[in-house]
Amino acid sequence: PEPPRHSEPADPGPGAPGGLFAWLRGRCLGRGAAVDPARDTFGAMTGLYGAIQPADSVSLSTRTHGAVFNLEYSPDGSVLTVACEQTEVLLFDPISSKHIKTLSEAHEDCVNNIRFLDNRLFATCSDDTTIALWDLRKLNTKVCTLHGHTSWVKNIEYDTNTRLLVTSGFDGNVIIWDTNRCTEDGCPHKKFFHTRFLMRMRLTPDCSKMLISTSSGYLLILHDLDLNKSLEVGSYPILRARRTTSSSDITSSGSSGPRAVGSPCHQNNSGPLSEKTLSRPSQREGGSPRNSLEVLTPEVPGERDRGNCITSLQLHPKGWATLLRCSSNTDDQEWTCVYEFQEGAPVRPVSPRCSLRLTHCIEEANVGRGYIKELCFSPDGRMISSPHGFGIRLLGFDAHCSELVDCLPREASPLREIRSLYSHNDVVLTTKFSPTHCQIASGCLSGRVSLYQPKF
């Protein structure tokens, strides 16, 4: 039978193609076919951060620990650890703000960084050139001490897939430690990579990339990372490079300390990288072999001619971007910058293409010269906590604390200051979000640790 001539088109219904659900899915830009199930939780957390206020400082039973260089929460948020200038590691209950334990002789020199391997095991590194493994269930003694670096150890990362510990230090070495075969005498280790002027090293959340920052303003990216393969001189392909105008202080890779090799293309020091070098057959078009090296000089506002030093390096919790704290060579200006990862092949194979794009930046207070300020992303990646003078600033990509993928600008835009929090009487050196609670911790040069929580 023929349908009625003047009937209205049938409602497809919410589940039919083109229905309400399809319209809702179309709004989820950058998230695939479905809404992130934790997005509502993130929205609630963002609302709580709007009510955050300084809480009382944590109660300390020691006054000998010196400056606070680093803070780290356990993955379940039950313990806050503090790396201190005077050989100590402090442990707190972040909920009650009570001091739990002091590891008074954790190392023989400054403690620089702490990294949890799981909810009970954590590693510390120090200027005494060693790394120590600890167990929360038995803090009277170290699990083991790791020897391998020849200078100050500044950074610890952990690959949960392979259970490999990754450390970097001012000797320019990145060393891999096999925690699967750990004994009281240490862990088997190997030198993975070497570069001059190394400052910080990070792994992306999926451990597919390694980023290395240098005091000479270069940012190195190892793509399609394979930690089981040591990188000897000439064994890693150069993927692409951008704005690399000097070849005297980029990377040389090997297992015997610093070498006289200049650029990552193993040229001499007489000239910059050439387009011909970048387009040679060792560079695969459209993709990258394992451990492909990319050398970048990230764009920093106002520092085009004077150069800069990348002092702090962090990764977005979803791997979308990297967060840098940069200072000018004259140390009279500092910037916090966000760079979006751009995947894919260069537009022209013979033309170098940067895989990072500056999206947001903000100028920072230039106080505490000579000290590195460690900043961080919130667990949902919507906000940044940045040391700012005697306090911290909460920064967002826009005024609504939107996801980065929802507010990517065509040109670099300023980060928006959501809130400023001040509770210290000295320069703040480090700050950290709790992974499970609406709480922020900060530590300063005089050794005070402060917590920030919502107040209604």
Side-chain angles (χ1 to χ4, degrees):
E2 293 184 3
R5 293 183 179 181
H6 302 289
S7 62
E8 295 291 333
D11 184 358
L20 177 61
F21 287 171
W23 177 77
L24 288 173
R25 284 196 298 269
R27 298 183 62 189
C28 305
L29 298 179
R31 298 184 182 84
V35 177
D36 187 340
R39 189 178 182 187
D40 290 339
T41 303
F42 293 157
M45 291 293 288
T46 303
L48 287 174
Y49 285 126
I52 207 162
Q53 297 285 345
D56 295 335
S57 297
V58 291
S59 302
L60 302 177
S61 62
T62 174
R63 298 295 178 185
T64 61
H65 56 273
V68 174
F69 284 163
N70 195 259
L71 299 164
E72 185 72 12
Y73 284 88
S74 60
D76 61 4
S78 62
V79 177
L80 172 64
T81 56
V82 182
C84 301
E85 178 184 16
Q86 300 295 334
T87 76
E88 294 183 351
V89 173
L90 310 179
L91 291 88
F92 297 94
D93 177 358
I95 305 303
S96 65
S97 302
K98 291 184 178 179
H99 180 214
I100 301 173
K101 179 79 173 178
T102 295
L103 307 179
S104 57
E105 296 181 358
H107 287 275
E108 297 178 0
D109 208 332
C110 303
V111 185
N112 297 315
N113 191 238
I114 301 174
R115 172 68 60 172
F116 274 86
L117 283 61
D118 53 35
N119 283 319
R120 60 181 181 85
L121 290 174
F122 65 95
T124 60
C125 65
S126 168
D127 283 357
D128 66 5
T129 75
T130 69
I131 300 99
L133 293 182
W134 304 85
D135 192 327
L136 287 176
R137 300 169 299 181
K138 187 181 179 182
L139 290 171
N140 293 329
T141 183
K142 303 175 185 178
V143 175
C144 65
T145 301
L146 309 181
H147 299 269
H149 285 279
T150 58
S151 186
W152 301 347
V153 188
K154 293 295 185 180
N155 203 186
I156 307 173
E157 292 288 280
Y158 183 63
D159 184 347
T160 55
N161 300 320
T162 60
R163 291 177 55 85
L164 295 176
L165 200 68
V166 189
T167 62
S168 66
F170 278 3
D171 55 3
N173 290 323
V174 176
I175 297 181
I176 309 296
W177 309 85
D178 188 357
T179 58
N180 298 297
R181 296 185 290 162
C182 209
T183 66
E184 293 182 357
D185 298 326
C187 299
H189 68 279
K190 63 180 179 181
K191 294 181 180 178
F192 177 73
F193 190 77
H194 176 83
T195 181
R196 298 176 65 187
F197 311 121
L198 189 152
M199 287 293 292
R200 293 291 186 266
M201 173 273 306
R202 299 288 179 191
L203 300 179
T204 53
D206 61 359
C207 299
S208 64
K209 296 181 179 67
M210 176 185 290
L211 280 74
I212 300 171
S213 65
T214 70
S215 60
S216 55
Y218 290 103
L219 184 66
L220 315 180
I221 306 178
L222 286 167
H223 294 266
D224 200 7
L225 189 64
D226 183 2
L227 294 176
N228 294 307
K229 178 182 178 182
S230 294
L231 298 182
E232 304 296 338
V233 172
S235 68
Y236 55 91
I238 304 302
L239 183 59
R240 44 191 178 263
R242 180 174 183 257
R243 294 183 60 201
T244 306
T245 57
S246 171
S247 60
S248 61
D249 56 352
I250 316 181
T251 66
S252 61
S253 160
S255 57
S256 58
R259 296 177 179 267
V261 180
S263 76
C265 292
H266 312 299
Q267 294 177 298
N268 57 33
N269 294 340
S270 60
L273 302 178
S274 65
E275 188 174 275
K276 180 179 179 181
T277 303
L278 292 169
S279 59
R280 63 188 182 180
S282 65
Q283 179 184 359
R284 282 174 44 185
E285 299 179 12
S288 61
R290 303 301 298 268
N291 295 329
S292 299
L293 176 66
E294 181 178 11
V295 184
L296 306 173
T297 49
E299 178 185 355
V300 179
E303 298 300 314
R304 297 179 185 273
D305 300 322
R306 293 192 295 168
N308 65 86
C309 171
I310 304 174
T311 56
S312 181
L313 169 66
Q314 298 290 340
L315 275 299
H316 190 281
K318 298 182 181 179
W320 293 342
T322 182
L323 176 65
L324 304 183
R325 180 82 170 234
C326 304
S327 63
S328 62
N329 286 340
T330 54
D331 205 23
D332 60 351
Q333 194 175 23
E334 287 189 325
W335 293 84
T336 289
C337 302
V338 178
Y339 298 85
E340 172 205 11
F341 280 107
Q342 299 184 106
E343 303 294 343
V347 178
R348 293 185 301 141
V350 297
S351 175
R353 173 185 175 275
C354 176
S355 68
L356 291 178
R357 181 177 72 91
L358 178 65
T359 62
H360 298 82
C361 58
I362 193 170
E363 189 172 0
E364 297 284 7
N366 184 39
V367 295
R369 295 187 181 185
Y371 287 94
I372 295 175
K373 290 89 175 181
E374 299 287 357
L375 63 177
C376 64
F377 278 107
S378 62
D380 57 11
R382 292 187 178 208
M383 282 193 291
I384 296 165
S385 181
S386 175
H388 187 73
F390 288 9
I392 62 175
R393 287 195 299 186
L394 299 183
L395 306 171
F397 303 115
D398 63 12
H400 307 290
C401 298
S402 300
E403 294 269 23
L404 178 61
V405 295
D406 289 334
C407 56
L408 283 174
R410 293 187 176 182
E411 297 181 355
S413 299
L415 287 165
R416 300 294 296 269
E417 182 176 338
I418 306 300
R419 195 173 185 82
S420 293
L421 302 167
Y422 296 98
S423 63
H424 292 272
N425 57 6
D426 210 335
V427 179
V428 175
L429 301 181
T430 181
T431 178
K432 186 73 70 171
F433 282 90
S434 168
T436 55
H437 300 87
C438 187
Q439 185 182 78
I440 308 172
S442 63
C444 72
L445 188 58
S446 64
R448 180 177 179 178
V449 177
S450 292
L451 299 176
Y452 309 87
Q453 297 175 346
K455 291 185 178 181
F456 300 100

